[in-house]
Amino acid sequence: MSEGSRAGSLAFGQVVIGPPGSGKSTYCRAMREFLGRLGRSVALVNLDPANEALPGPCALDIAELVTLPDVMDGLGLGPNGGLLYCMEYLEANADWLRERLRGLGAHYLLFDCPGQVELYTHHQSLKNVFGQLAKWNFRLAAVHLVDSHYCTDPGKFISVLCTSLATMLHVELPHVNVLSKMDLIEQYGKLAFNLDYYTEVLDLSYLVDHLAADPFFRNFRRLNEKLVEVIEDYSLVSFVPLNVQDKQSMQQVVQAVDKANGYSFGAREQHSLEVLMSAAVGADFHFSSTLAVQEKYVQSQDKAVEEEVMDL
């Protein structure tokens, strides 16, 4: 299949990326089921050579080409070096990937990717693989998952913002940042601000002030201010909250991704006017989804307070 042979035959999908433990495989499993209920033919592609718990039957598995244990044993590499080698091996064998994807036809694709952060911030191989997919007329959006518990720690949240920004600039795909595990956020602690402050990444000077209250970070205030300035100057990072057990939350993510990769405006699925408008005015729906999650979070906090009062 030549690079131009797929002209007029677009394929859409998502590359699911993010650090270890952010819920990528859980997301792929839930998204596959959700899109299946919408009538889409979904195929799961596992690009993680270290993934021993696949999120379901895979139409394509990188383990057929290379596995991390084999690389570690054969080349004497550690887990990190071995994973980088696997991605370089995948890039070098792009023909294998191209031939295996050819048989998937018009499926909507979910690529479950590795969790090593440097693959998305400065290493070139996976980025180059995504670039090849674009040349083959795959219209993909990067779905970057971030564990919502980072919102409860100002220092970690600033770090997450920097990582998300670096990933967006490096991967060079239409990008949707997602705060995962929102159903568990109340277990991590109380948020310093409303949830929309974190999803919309509002005035971060307040976060720096809050961070400066910690004696450890007080000496690094100037550094934190400069990091925040970089994030705000680019003005690219925002998040969609996600609870995979909530259908409305899943729908909001689907709308954001469909808008990012252009699926909403294609002819592959008969969308109602309401769905098309929801993609066109995504900011309003984004706000609504954040508001709904915020209400649930506040209710859980109020319930916890009531229980504490009853115990007294």
Side-chain angles (χ1 to χ4, degrees):
M1 180 170 60
S2 65
E3 292 183 358
S5 65
R6 291 186 62 93
S9 179
L10 296 177
F12 292 87
Q14 308 174 24
V15 293
V16 184
I17 62 179
S22 58
K24 294 185 296 298
S25 294
T26 300
Y27 172 88
C28 287
R29 184 186 304 111
M31 185 57 67
R32 179 180 186 175
E33 295 175 356
F34 186 81
L35 293 177
R37 294 192 184 100
L38 294 180
R40 299 190 195 181
S41 298
V42 181
L44 182 63
V45 177
N46 177 46
L47 292 185
D48 185 358
N51 196 346
E52 298 179 352
L54 297 178
C58 292
L60 192 161
D61 189 354
I62 193 177
E64 301 172 16
L65 176 69
V66 63
T67 65
L68 181 59
D70 290 342
V71 169
M72 292 173 62
D73 293 340
L75 300 179
L77 296 173
N80 292 336
L83 192 52
L84 296 179
Y85 177 88
C86 288
M87 293 301 100
E88 293 170 356
Y89 192 78
L90 175 63
E91 179 188 3
N93 289 273
D95 289 342
W96 172 86
L97 181 63
R98 182 173 55 188
E99 292 300 320
R100 297 289 280 110
L101 289 174
R102 175 189 289 179
L104 299 183
H107 283 80
Y108 186 94
L109 302 178
L110 294 175
F111 292 86
D112 189 3
C113 298
Q116 196 165 356
V117 175
E118 53 261 48
L119 290 173
Y120 314 113
T121 56
H122 59 272
H123 197 261
Q124 295 294 321
S125 291
L126 201 53
K127 171 188 174 180
N128 293 339
V129 170
F130 295 157
Q132 284 292 337
L133 291 170
K135 291 179 181 178
W136 302 333
N137 272 353
F138 288 93
R139 297 296 177 258
L140 304 175
V143 179
H144 182 223
L145 299 183
V146 174
D147 197 319
S148 60
H149 86 268
Y150 290 117
C151 294
T152 61
D153 187 315
K156 291 181 179 178
F157 187 66
I158 291 177
S159 176
V160 161
L161 292 174
C162 292
T163 302
S164 299
L165 178 59
T167 300
M168 295 175 73
L169 297 176
H170 181 72
V171 172
E172 296 181 345
L173 283 176
H175 207 94
V176 178
N177 291 306
V178 174
L179 282 177
S180 63
K181 306 180 185 178
M182 287 303 303
D183 53 319
L184 303 177
I185 190 171
E186 66 269 14
Q187 300 180 13
Y188 300 133
K190 189 174 182 179
L191 298 180
F193 306 99
N194 288 337
L195 184 61
D196 59 344
Y197 177 87
Y198 300 93
T199 58
E200 300 298 333
V201 189
L202 301 177
D203 189 347
L204 295 178
S205 63
Y206 294 105
L207 197 64
V208 173
D209 292 338
H210 186 77
L211 191 62
D214 187 325
F216 176 79
F217 289 104
R218 192 173 300 148
N219 295 331
F220 302 97
R221 182 185 181 96
R222 185 62 176 165
L223 173 62
N224 290 324
E225 288 175 344
K226 289 301 181 182
L227 290 175
V228 163
E229 287 178 9
V230 171
I231 297 166
E232 292 182 331
D233 286 346
Y234 277 95
S235 190
L236 291 175
V237 184
S238 63
F239 296 94
V240 180
L242 173 65
N243 173 6
V244 295
Q245 300 176 4
D246 187 329
K247 292 181 181 180
Q248 182 181 2
S249 179
M250 290 290 290
Q251 180 65 22
Q252 298 297 336
V253 174
V254 169
Q255 290 172 352
V257 174
D258 285 353
K259 180 182 177 183
N261 64 15
Y263 186 93
S264 289
F265 308 102
R268 305 188 65 83
E269 184 177 285
Q270 291 298 321
H271 282 269
S272 66
L273 179 61
E274 178 182 355
V275 174
L276 285 174
M277 288 303 295
S278 71
V281 292
D284 293 338
F285 282 78
H286 186 178
F287 174 77
S288 298
S289 68
T290 303
L291 184 62
V293 174
Q294 175 68 30
E295 289 177 350
K296 293 179 181 179
Y297 171 76
V298 172
Q299 289 172 1
S300 66
Q301 290 292 314
D302 292 342
K303 183 178 179 181
V305 172
E306 291 177 1
E307 291 177 352
E308 290 180 1
V309 172
M310 291 298 293
D311 291 339
L312 293 177

